[in-house]
Amino acid sequence: MARKRTTYACTACGQTHPKWLGRCTACGEWGTVEEEAAPPAPPPGGGRAGLPVSKPLRLKEVEGGAPHRASTGIGELDRVLGGGLVPGALVLIGGDPGIGKSTLLLQASDRIARFDVPVLYVSGEESARQTRLRFDRIGAEAESLWLVAETSLSRIEHHVAKLEPRVLVIDSVQTLYTEDVGSAPGSVAQLRAITSRLMALAKGREIVTFVVGHVTKAGNLAGPRMLEHMVDTVLYLEGQRGHPFRLLRAVKNRFGNTDELGAFEMKSDGLAEVDNPSALFLAERAAGASGSVVAACFEGTRPLLVEVQALVTHEAHGTPRRTAIGFDGNRTALLLAVLERKAGLDVGGDVFVNVAGGMRLDEPAADLPVIAALASSHRDRPLDPKVAVFGEVGLGGEIRGVIGADARIVEARRLGFERIVLPAGNRDAARQLGEQGLVPVSTVEQALDVLF
Ligand code: TYD
Ligand code: MG
């Protein structure tokens, strides 16, 4: 019998090493290399168990066209998936514990099963009885919904072979184990082996497979990034504790757009879809307070109005603090420098920027709203509550045009905003919609003039 080799794997990037290291040479992280048992040798002949034998085809012979998609019965989930379920897709859903991953998948399983599609829900964390109670809470009643409490991958494969579900839910991947890897459930070696076998199962039988993955404190999926590389689609369910809003975001999608956003609200009977997220995000706005600005932003293909808040103190307590939540910290520093040099605002005190409702704004169009919020707080002068703002700010203090201006304008008007401050470069797009209430600006100075 071959001697059992021991290898070491980095829990951050998945790189394997022949010996233990304090620092992973591949990704540079400290203290992430852990011992794992070596994977079993591949079967002779090079084939991998479970995968169909491959055969090269001419490009023209390969079946083309968009994949056939089925609805999950939850519109917001369909949107984030790129238009629905693709047979054989392996979808990873990450998120903090308690954020609602299980709830979302319980609801999706029930809705899908109501279309008479067999669904198997595998719970590795709770007993079948506990899971049944959860299903009752969301009002699940579908006939073709199957439930099993199981953590052994080979037994799950056995159930799949017998039941032949079209949709499989694994909650969660960190609780599963496979006997042919020596290490504990949740270890790098286990996760790698399990994910590749689930992939083979999904592709071989064309089963849509949802896999729940827990997230560590640092916000990464527990276990290595490798998990994200292996699957077809990675969705994150996000939200802040104490807030009922939940955002579902695609960070990788082999079958559609990333950047898509689904909006939900956690209620006593599960997650409810939110048709009008802008109204939700603005519901608690303190209109008339200084430092608050409504930004007309974009999330995926959907315009979204969110409140940007800033608080600027005139004196720093020690070294000035620059804190940004939901907005890039470096970008905040850059915008402060532009404000100082181009608009003569002296911000020497502490600066806090916050995007309300637990949103993250990653797009350049949020620059001008942030600048406006900073200036409003610095001057302690509130903005007109009927104003919405968008535009990118350059280092020269110029305001640059952004994409999707027309959709932003339409959304802002729909929600009752009467004045919209926008880049002069977007004037053409705006003109077609009627110029009433539109205020094009080309410099930061000019923007602050019209806003205050
Ligand atoms: P859960 O789906 O268990 O989170 P995860 O799988 O991401 O760990 O959601 C847990 C939280 O959601 C829990 O605090 C209770 C709450 N919840 C509701 O508010 N309403 C519901 O209908 C359900 C099922 C859960
Ligand atoms: Mg759960």
Side-chain angles (χ1 to χ4, degrees):
M1 201 181 118
R3 197 166 60 89
K4 201 167 175 187
R5 276 183 306 125
T6 301
T7 56
Y8 298 84
C10 171
T11 54
C13 69
Q15 176 70 38
T16 50
H17 303 280
K19 61 181 184 2
W20 187 83
L21 299 168
R23 184 183 190 190
C24 174
T25 47
C27 69
E29 287 287 321
W30 289 93
T32 53
V33 176
E34 288 177 6
E35 181 177 337
E36 66 173 12
R48 285 219 336 252
L51 282 180
V53 179
S54 62
K55 176 174 170 248
L57 289 177
R58 289 177 205 281
L59 177 65
K60 286 180 188 158
E61 294 165 8
V62 177
E63 213 180 304
H68 176 73
R69 292 174 185 272
S71 171
T72 61
I74 301 178
E76 296 291 292
L77 179 58
D78 286 348
R79 179 219 306 284
V80 179
L81 287 170
L85 301 167
V86 179
L90 186 60
V91 181
L92 182 66
I93 299 198
D96 290 333
I99 205 72
K101 303 180 293 298
S102 302
T103 308
L104 179 66
L105 290 178
L106 291 166
Q107 283 178 280
S109 304
D110 177 53
R111 299 281 178 89
I112 297 165
R114 284 184 200 198
F115 297 128
D116 253 344
V117 176
V119 178
L120 176 60
Y121 192 101
V122 181
S123 174
E125 302 191 333
E126 291 172 349
S127 67
R129 195 192 172 91
Q130 279 173 309
T131 312
R132 162 78 207 254
L133 288 174
R134 283 166 152 277
F135 271 115
D136 287 347
R137 185 166 175 189
I138 60 156
E141 54 185 28
E143 283 283 322
S144 23
L145 182 52
W146 296 82
L147 190 58
V148 64
E150 185 54 77
T151 53
S152 154
L153 182 59
S154 35
R155 279 203 290 272
I156 292 169
E157 285 168 336
H158 169 79
H159 295 316
V160 167
K162 271 187 81 177
L163 270 172
E164 301 191 340
R166 306 308 314 144
V167 176
L168 173 68
V169 178
I170 304 285
D171 189 0
S172 67
V173 67
Q174 277 101 353
T175 56
L176 296 201
Y177 73 93
T178 160
E179 295 82 358
D180 38 82
V181 175
S183 45
S187 67
V188 179
Q190 283 282 357
L191 287 173
R192 187 181 1 238
I194 286 164
T195 312
S196 68
R197 264 167 68 182
L198 287 174
M199 191 61 146
L201 197 65
K203 300 283 176 246
R205 293 178 172 265
E206 300 222 305
I207 301 172
V208 182
T209 307
F210 287 100
V211 175
V212 172
H214 291 300
V215 160
T216 58
K217 279 203 201 82
N220 292 323
L221 278 160
R225 272 285 144 114
M226 153 208 104
L227 217 60
E228 294 193 6
H229 294 311
M230 290 172 83
V231 301
D232 295 313
T233 301
V234 180
L235 309 182
Y236 271 94
L237 188 61
E238 304 170 342
Q240 283 184 349
R241 270 182 204 289
H243 283 283
F245 317 139
R246 297 289 180 268
L247 297 173
L248 185 67
R249 205 185 277 278
V251 295
K252 164 181 175 177
N253 196 352
R254 288 188 184 143
F255 304 113
N257 256 336
T258 54
D259 306 331
E260 278 298 356
L261 185 88
F264 297 91
E265 192 177 352
M266 181 63 92
K267 297 201 167 150
S268 59
D269 58 350
L271 289 161
E273 296 180 61
V274 174
D275 297 330
N276 192 349
S278 296
L280 189 73
F281 280 112
L282 298 179
E284 292 174 334
R285 184 162 63 108
S290 64
S292 160
V293 173
V294 172
C297 288
F298 240 87
E299 274 291 344
T301 56
R302 160 198 267 195
L304 191 67
L305 297 191
V306 282
E307 180 191 356
V308 175
Q309 302 174 326
L311 188 65
V312 175
T313 66
H314 287 284
E315 263 167 64
H317 309 281
T319 316
R321 291 185 60 171
R322 306 277 189 249
T323 305
I325 299 169
F327 190 72
D328 185 55
N330 289 330
R331 200 87 200 149
T332 306
L334 185 153
L335 296 175
L336 279 169
V338 171
L339 263 179
E340 189 186 313
R341 290 298 300 273
K342 304 293 171 187
L345 235 74
D346 173 26
V347 187
D350 296 334
V351 172
F352 303 91
V353 172
N354 177 41
V355 181
M359 270 293 296
R360 250 207 90 74
L361 296 183
D362 281 330
E363 59 152 356
D367 290 351
L368 191 55
V370 171
I371 285 247
L374 289 166
S376 161
S377 172
H378 184 263
R379 297 176 178 181
D380 200 15
R381 300 237 328 251
L383 254 64
D384 173 1
K386 294 278 180 212
V387 168
V389 184
F390 66 90
E392 179 178 350
V393 174
L395 282 180
E398 79 279 15
I399 312 287
R400 295 160 175 259
V402 296
I403 53 158
D406 39 359
R408 298 176 205 261
I409 294 168
V410 170
E411 177 77 352
R413 283 186 174 157
R414 195 172 68 79
L415 282 141
F417 289 88
E418 289 161 4
R419 280 175 82 212
I420 302 166
V421 178
L422 75 166
N426 286 129
R427 204 186 217 138
D428 282 350
R431 207 164 265 157
Q432 296 157 9
L433 295 165
E435 291 191 75
Q436 199 202 347
L438 301 183
V439 190
V441 291
S442 43
T443 64
V444 166
E445 232 181 333
Q446 201 188 347
L448 297 184
D449 271 352
V450 301
L451 283 169
F452 296 101

